[in-house]
Amino acid sequence: MRYSNLTIDLAGINICFKAEESKNALRKDKLCCQVIDCNGPDVLLTERYSSFPDIDTARFTLRVATHLWTLHENCNTKIFTLKPAHRSGKIMAVLNDSMTKGEIYLWRKNDDWLSTRLGRIILDNLVARNKRFMFHACGVKDGRDGYLFLGRSGAGKTTIARLWRKKNAEIFDDDRIVVYRKRGDFAISSGEVFKKKFCHSYPAPQKAELKRIFFLKHGMKNKVTIKDCRDTLKDMLKESLTLDWDRKALRDMFCFYMDLALNVRGYDLEFVQNETCVDFIKQL
């Protein structure tokens, strides 16, 4: 069953999804983000199944153009377009400049736009505009402490998630994690919307205070090397999922990453693929 009016919490941002008919891109049983009640959402996105709006993009500035998607914008409107693929029709998102309100136009009613590349791009930039930043990482909550494990595909994020799960730690996600400021400290939460193997529905929006950052590498023994701030910043940028074309947003991102590197210790972590690596990390 689909729901026509859902509000979810994504790293402290309340996003409300509505539809002009009874169908909606979100199904409650597929969500890993907590469905919440709130008086007024921070972001309101409405699905439209009628004809596409007739917008003359020649009057807009073309910011991004790839073989998959495009972005046109002017001083008050952003237009994202996903080009047709063999599994989906054309999808267009028209949002205000602050990305607090917008319409998602679907060529086919059953298209699940959030699971497309366009959905990821919109969410990544939405959280960045609220000074929350997405990383290609695994997030772990052990007690009150949070750990961030970064690395490319194959570096060991899913393995780390499995090992910590055996130790009864909470796994936010093994792929997309949001880092943000919360009352002066840094916090992490899941950046995933749909359920995955290690990402479950929680009774309340989950977050953890970030204590350490690890850059993963498989090894013959458990070993850490403390990174200096410059190396931590450089390697965080490699695993950033924040895609922005606005100078102010990029400046905000760089300042945030620098602040994060200065205040949360980073390590290079070589680890063996068994539970000894979890005990090793806890003793640091």
Side-chain angles (χ1 to χ4, degrees):
M1 178 179 179
R2 289 174 179 258
Y3 293 75
S4 61
N5 189 348
L6 285 177
T7 301
I8 67 170
D9 181 289
L10 181 61
I13 306 169
N14 296 333
I15 307 173
C16 181
F17 298 88
K18 290 190 174 182
E20 65 179 5
E21 295 181 13
S22 61
K23 289 191 174 183
N24 185 270
L26 286 181
R27 280 182 46 172
K28 194 172 183 179
D29 60 330
K30 289 188 176 182
L31 291 175
C32 70
C33 292
Q34 172 68 18
V35 179
I36 61 173
D37 295 319
C38 66
N39 294 327
D42 301 310
V43 180
L44 174 62
L45 299 175
T46 304
E47 287 187 359
R48 305 290 186 190
Y49 312 118
S50 53
S51 59
F52 274 56
D54 184 16
I55 300 176
D56 182 9
T57 56
R59 299 183 179 183
F60 288 72
T61 300
L62 178 62
R63 291 295 187 187
V64 182
T66 74
H67 67 288
L68 293 172
W69 66 283
T70 59
L71 167 66
H72 290 81
E73 68 176 2
N74 61 17
C75 61
N76 53 28
T77 304
K78 296 182 182 298
I79 302 173
F80 296 85
T81 304
L82 180 70
K83 297 178 182 179
H86 68 285
R87 291 186 178 179
S88 65
K90 184 178 179 182
I91 299 173
M92 177 184 288
V94 181
L95 296 95
N96 62 5
D97 185 60
S98 60
M99 296 184 71
T100 57
K101 187 176 181 181
E103 283 74 40
I104 314 297
Y105 294 89
L106 303 180
W107 193 267
R108 302 183 308 191
K109 293 182 181 180
N110 290 328
D111 281 342
D112 187 353
W113 69 273
L114 264 181
S115 66
T116 67
R117 182 180 296 269
L118 186 63
R120 291 290 180 93
I121 289 167
I122 290 173
L123 290 185
D124 289 353
N125 283 276
L126 192 156
V127 298
R129 281 183 166 267
N130 287 272
K131 297 200 175 171
R132 291 149 167 81
F133 297 95
M134 196 86 70
F135 288 92
H136 188 208
C138 169
V140 171
K141 181 181 180 183
D142 184 46
R144 298 180 63 180
D145 296 339
Y147 302 105
L148 187 68
F149 299 90
L150 296 100
R152 300 289 175 90
S153 297
K157 297 186 300 299
T158 301
T159 301
I160 282 286
R162 174 174 54 81
L163 296 174
W164 278 90
R165 187 175 176 82
K166 288 183 178 180
K167 293 286 189 176
N168 298 316
E170 292 185 58
I171 312 302
F172 291 159
D173 193 17
D174 64 340
D175 190 53
R176 295 166 61 83
I177 296 295
V178 182
V179 182
Y180 59 103
R181 278 281 194 180
K182 189 176 188 305
R183 293 196 293 270
D185 296 318
F186 289 95
I188 60 172
S189 67
S190 175
E192 184 58 65
V193 173
F194 299 105
K195 286 182 182 178
K196 295 173 62 180
K197 184 176 180 181
F198 294 113
C199 195
H200 301 275
S201 292
Y202 296 110
Q206 290 293 294
K207 54 189 173 293
E209 183 180 343
L210 180 57
K211 292 297 185 181
R212 291 186 176 88
I213 301 171
F214 297 95
F215 298 86
L216 295 175
K217 181 181 179 181
H218 291 292
M220 300 299 293
K221 63 178 182 178
N222 297 313
K223 176 184 175 182
V224 293
T225 304
I226 298 175
K227 299 172 73 71
D228 63 29
C229 293
R230 288 177 299 178
D231 284 341
T232 299
L233 174 63
K234 178 187 69 176
D235 289 343
M236 282 195 301
L237 289 169
K238 292 178 182 177
E239 306 306 328
S240 172
L241 293 178
T242 301
L243 304 173
D244 217 307
W245 42 89
D246 179 84
R247 287 186 178 181
K248 180 182 181 303
L250 288 172
R251 186 165 57 248
D252 288 344
M253 182 188 75
F254 187 83
C255 291
F256 180 91
Y257 285 14
M258 178 64 78
D259 196 21
L260 178 59
L262 288 169
N263 288 281
V264 181
R265 178 158 287 180
Y267 301 84
D268 283 323
L269 171 64
E270 294 183 34
F271 72 101
V272 295
Q273 300 181 48
N274 59 47
E275 295 174 42
T276 62
C277 76
V278 176
D279 296 328
F280 175 77
I281 293 169
K282 286 185 174 185
Q283 293 172 4
L284 292 176

